[in-house]
Amino acid sequence: MTTGFLSLILHAHLPFVRHPEYPEFLEEDWLYEAISETYVPLLFVFESLHRAGVRVRLTMTLTPPLCDMLVDDLLRERYLRHLGKLVELAEKEIVRTKGTPFAPAAQAHHEHFRAVQNLYENVYHRDLVGAFRRLQDEGVLEIITCCATHGFLPLMRYESARRAQIRVAVRNYEKHFGRLPSGIWLAECAYEPGIDALLAEVGLRYFIVDSHSIMFGSPRPARGIFAPTITPSGVAAFARDVETSEQVWSSLVGYPGHPNYREFYKDLGYEADYDYIKPYLHADGVRRNIGIKYFRVTGKVDLHHKQPYIPAWATETAAEHAGHFLASRQAQMRHLRTVIGRAPLVVSPYDAELYGHWWYEGPQFLDFLIRKIHFDQDEVVLATPSDYLQMFPHNQPQVPSASSWGAEGYNRVWLNRDTQWMYRHQHQAERRMEELARRFPTPGSPLVHRALNQAARELLLAQSSDWAFIITNKTMVQYAEKRFRDHIHRFTRLYEMLTSETVDDDWLAEVEKRDTIFPEMDYRVYAR
């Protein structure tokens, strides 16, 4: 008998990084790592389960920047070159580690990269978006959209800018998936009252928020965070469950911190003899993560005290954690059903890249979990937010409170003393883009039309929440600041060209070759 429903939501997103002006670029590796470690493994798990007759039902966000990168021919070619070098290195590692405690890990890495190479080239034919689309068409996944460039909506001053982030995203989704999206992942789960009305305009049925958005909403929720609430515009809000987040995300008690799992921060790119590893680095010769790692978490010890990674131990642990997670959901839902008076929905959203990239065994965990849900019990059922709304169409009206899923739950991660300088430039560009859309109700000439569309692209790219997030977390600060400044500069130059009626065709063509996102762009989305 069904006790409750579990909604696993995997948010797959990367900022748009594409640098044709260089033969290789460090930040492009973000995409290549995610393909090898997360996207292809997840596709393989979901397809294998589905073909075996196991019921799989999950929600995934594939953001517009990620989709446009995955279908880009330049990035596809570069990824295959990157993957080929990994396969070559992994083959050498089998020989080098023979007879050492690291041999099982070397063998596992080689098998992994060879499998990814075969799947990407021969099974998915370099078209991961198409592979995900087929899983949606077969009822395995419900794919939702996100703000066009992962823009943080509450920090946009002009409604036209917010509306454009949503409408461009919906149009891009329709291009890639051949249908309209049912839901949206608001970037960083950032919400404030009124945003739901913009979602309703394009027919979106639901969005995801953090738990305090509903708990502190008005009126207080009768069913807590275990049923959606309906905003004034009629769009449903689903809240993240605290308990399942802690079990996976927590640095103190989360599963990925178990001693048997692979240690992320000890990578062959830094550990190997320099002359040996140099051919597999970029041309600048700077050490970087390669993706081959030989140590396990071990415990709270210094990196040089980490012990060898044993793949078999990690697999056993992933199975145990899947069983623990399911047992916890059964107990949780039994209690909740008596409290709220109907089958609860536990919403468990995570960054997709956690599964495989950060937590190497994450795809195995999902495989075991989905199998256990299917074969070992009948209390917990996998469901998407749309499934739950179909089963339970009558839910409590509410105005959720302002919130995000960042540290402390609001906007501090994206607006602070290190990032505040960005927003006066962003807001000026928002105002100017609205002005251009009013000034040019029709473009007048193909050149002007191209310039207007490119101005819209540059504003959207500048609005990516990733730049402020990176700056706040002090990781690739120089790159994030440069990207923001470059897009604002390009937008400003386009604005000045358009208002002075002197568009530089050669310069525009160069910018178009670099920032190719949204070829379907129509700048008039910024018109009031």
Side-chain angles (χ1 to χ4, degrees):
M1 170 185 160
T2 299
T3 304
F5 299 91
L6 174 64
S7 184
L8 294 171
I9 303 177
L10 304 183
H11 175 57
H13 166 67
L14 290 172
F16 189 79
V17 177
R18 180 182 182 275
H19 290 278
E21 68 273 26
Y22 299 102
E24 55 190 9
F25 203 84
L26 177 62
E27 284 75 14
E28 284 184 0
D29 288 357
W30 297 344
L31 175 65
Y32 310 148
E33 291 167 353
I35 291 173
S36 296
E37 298 169 352
T38 295
Y39 307 145
V40 169
L42 288 180
L43 277 168
F44 177 73
V45 166
F46 299 154
E47 283 194 331
S48 298
L49 291 171
H50 181 54
R51 302 291 177 253
V54 176
R55 182 181 181 276
V56 187
R57 189 69 172 144
L58 288 87
T59 303
M60 283 194 72
T61 315
L62 294 177
T63 67
L66 176 60
C67 287
D68 274 8
M69 286 191 292
L70 289 175
V71 301
D72 184 87
D73 288 337
L74 173 70
L75 295 176
R76 285 167 163 168
E77 288 296 330
R78 289 184 172 185
Y79 171 65
L80 279 171
R81 186 166 65 245
H82 168 91
L83 185 57
K85 292 178 72 174
L86 279 177
V87 171
E88 177 186 307
L89 176 59
E91 289 173 351
K92 290 183 178 180
E93 283 298 285
I94 291 176
V95 176
R96 189 184 71 85
T97 60
K98 186 176 182 180
T100 73
F102 305 113
Q107 184 67 39
H109 282 103
H110 179 253
E111 292 173 0
H112 171 80
F113 290 127
R114 285 295 302 273
V116 169
Q117 189 179 51
N118 177 61
L119 287 165
Y120 186 78
E121 188 80 82
N122 301 320
V123 178
Y124 305 136
H125 306 291
R126 310 186 187 187
D127 183 13
L128 298 189
V129 173
F132 280 113
R133 182 177 61 241
R134 286 189 292 275
L135 285 178
Q136 172 160 256
D137 293 342
E138 294 174 13
V140 174
L141 298 178
E142 177 170 277
I143 299 174
I144 60 177
T145 192
C146 183
C147 307
T149 53
H150 219 256
F152 196 97
L153 296 184
L155 294 180
M156 295 178 194
R157 175 172 294 177
Y158 292 87
E159 187 172 271
S160 61
R162 295 181 175 188
R163 179 177 285 111
Q165 280 278 344
I166 295 164
R167 294 196 171 200
V168 170
V170 169
R171 185 176 181 186
N172 184 266
Y173 180 101
E174 188 175 14
K175 176 186 74 173
H176 286 298
F177 299 103
R179 63 171 77 177
L180 293 173
S182 56
I184 187 169
W185 178 286
L186 297 176
E188 317 298 358
C189 293
Y191 173 81
E192 68 179 19
I195 287 176
D196 53 286
L198 301 177
L199 308 183
E201 287 178 359
V202 292
L204 290 162
R205 298 181 59 212
Y206 69 86
F207 59 98
I208 316 299
V209 291
D210 212 321
S211 56
H212 58 290
S213 187
I214 284 182
M215 290 306 296
F216 298 156
S218 179
R220 297 294 290 273
R223 297 186 177 95
I225 60 173
F226 302 106
T229 61
I230 306 301
T231 62
S233 63
V235 183
F238 288 82
R240 173 168 73 151
D241 172 56
V242 177
E243 185 176 331
T244 53
S245 294
E246 184 177 64
Q247 282 184 299
V248 176
W249 276 117
S250 172
S251 61
L252 299 176
V253 298
Y255 298 140
H258 190 278
N260 288 345
Y261 288 142
R262 195 181 76 164
E263 170 61 55
F264 179 83
Y265 292 101
K266 278 181 74 72
D267 187 280
L268 187 65
Y270 295 95
E271 303 286 330
D273 177 80
Y274 183 73
D275 289 336
Y276 173 77
I277 204 66
K278 185 179 179 181
Y280 303 97
L281 303 175
H282 287 178
D284 59 12
V286 176
R287 287 185 181 269
R288 61 184 179 84
N289 280 342
I290 293 293
I292 297 176
K293 306 171 195 288
Y294 287 122
F295 295 88
R296 55 190 173 91
V297 173
T298 306
K300 295 182 179 179
V301 299
D302 292 338
L303 286 177
H304 61 279
H305 288 145
K306 300 290 183 177
Q307 297 298 307
Y309 175 62
I310 311 299
W313 293 4
T315 298
E316 290 176 4
T317 304
E320 292 170 4
H321 282 156
H324 177 265
F325 187 89
L326 177 56
S328 299
R329 300 291 71 70
Q330 290 171 319
Q332 180 186 24
M333 291 179 185
R334 289 170 196 153
H335 169 71
L336 288 172
R337 182 159 191 144
T338 64
V339 173
I340 71 172
R342 79 180 193 196
L345 177 71
V346 173
V347 177
S348 301
Y350 309 99
D351 282 339
E353 294 76 22
L354 169 67
Y355 292 88
H357 177 60
W358 296 103
W359 178 19
Y360 187 63
E361 299 78 11
Q364 293 183 56
F365 167 84
L366 288 175
D367 190 335
F368 287 127
L369 175 62
I370 295 168
R371 289 179 187 275
K372 288 177 181 293
I373 290 173
H374 181 83
F375 290 113
D376 296 355
Q377 53 86 59
D378 60 2
E379 290 184 87
V380 176
V381 175
L382 290 173
T384 69
S386 289
D387 296 337
Y388 196 81
L389 286 174
Q390 186 172 2
M391 290 182 286
F392 300 97
H394 303 294
N395 295 284
Q396 178 182 338
Q398 187 198 48
V399 178
S401 70
S403 61
S404 81
W405 79 338
E408 299 168 15
Y410 296 97
N411 299 352
R412 181 187 63 79
V413 172
W414 298 273
L415 178 59
N416 52 65
R417 65 183 182 180
D418 294 327
T419 63
Q420 59 185 354
W421 62 272
M422 303 168 74
Y423 293 98
R424 64 179 180 270
H425 301 290
Q426 178 180 306
H427 294 160
Q428 172 82 323
E430 291 172 12
R431 181 189 66 76
R432 286 177 163 181
M433 191 66 232
E434 186 178 286
E435 174 193 334
L436 289 174
R438 289 199 310 269
R439 182 168 178 167
F440 296 92
T442 57
S445 74
L447 181 61
V448 169
H449 196 185
R450 286 168 49 207
L452 288 163
N453 283 339
Q454 194 62 36
R457 293 187 188 100
E458 298 302 331
L459 171 55
L460 288 166
L461 287 167
Q463 290 173 324
S464 170
S465 70
D466 300 284
W467 314 138
F469 181 85
I470 291 169
I471 292 168
T472 297
N473 285 282
K474 296 179 170 52
T475 50
M476 309 293 286
V477 174
Q478 186 177 5
Y479 178 74
E481 288 185 348
K482 186 177 188 308
R483 282 293 302 273
F484 178 79
R485 292 178 189 276
D486 284 350
H487 294 306
I488 290 294
H489 167 73
R490 291 170 194 164
F491 172 85
T492 303
R493 186 168 177 183
L494 286 162
Y495 171 81
E496 291 171 349
M497 287 178 179
L498 287 161
T499 53
S500 63
E501 300 181 357
T502 56
V503 177
D504 184 335
D505 192 353
D506 292 339
W507 181 84
L508 173 59
E510 180 62 28
V511 172
E512 288 173 323
K513 280 194 280 187
R514 293 188 184 190
D515 298 333
T516 57
I517 196 170
F518 307 135
E520 70 279 4
M521 174 61 69
D522 182 351
Y523 71 92
R524 284 164 288 211
V525 72
Y526 284 93
R528 287 187 178 181

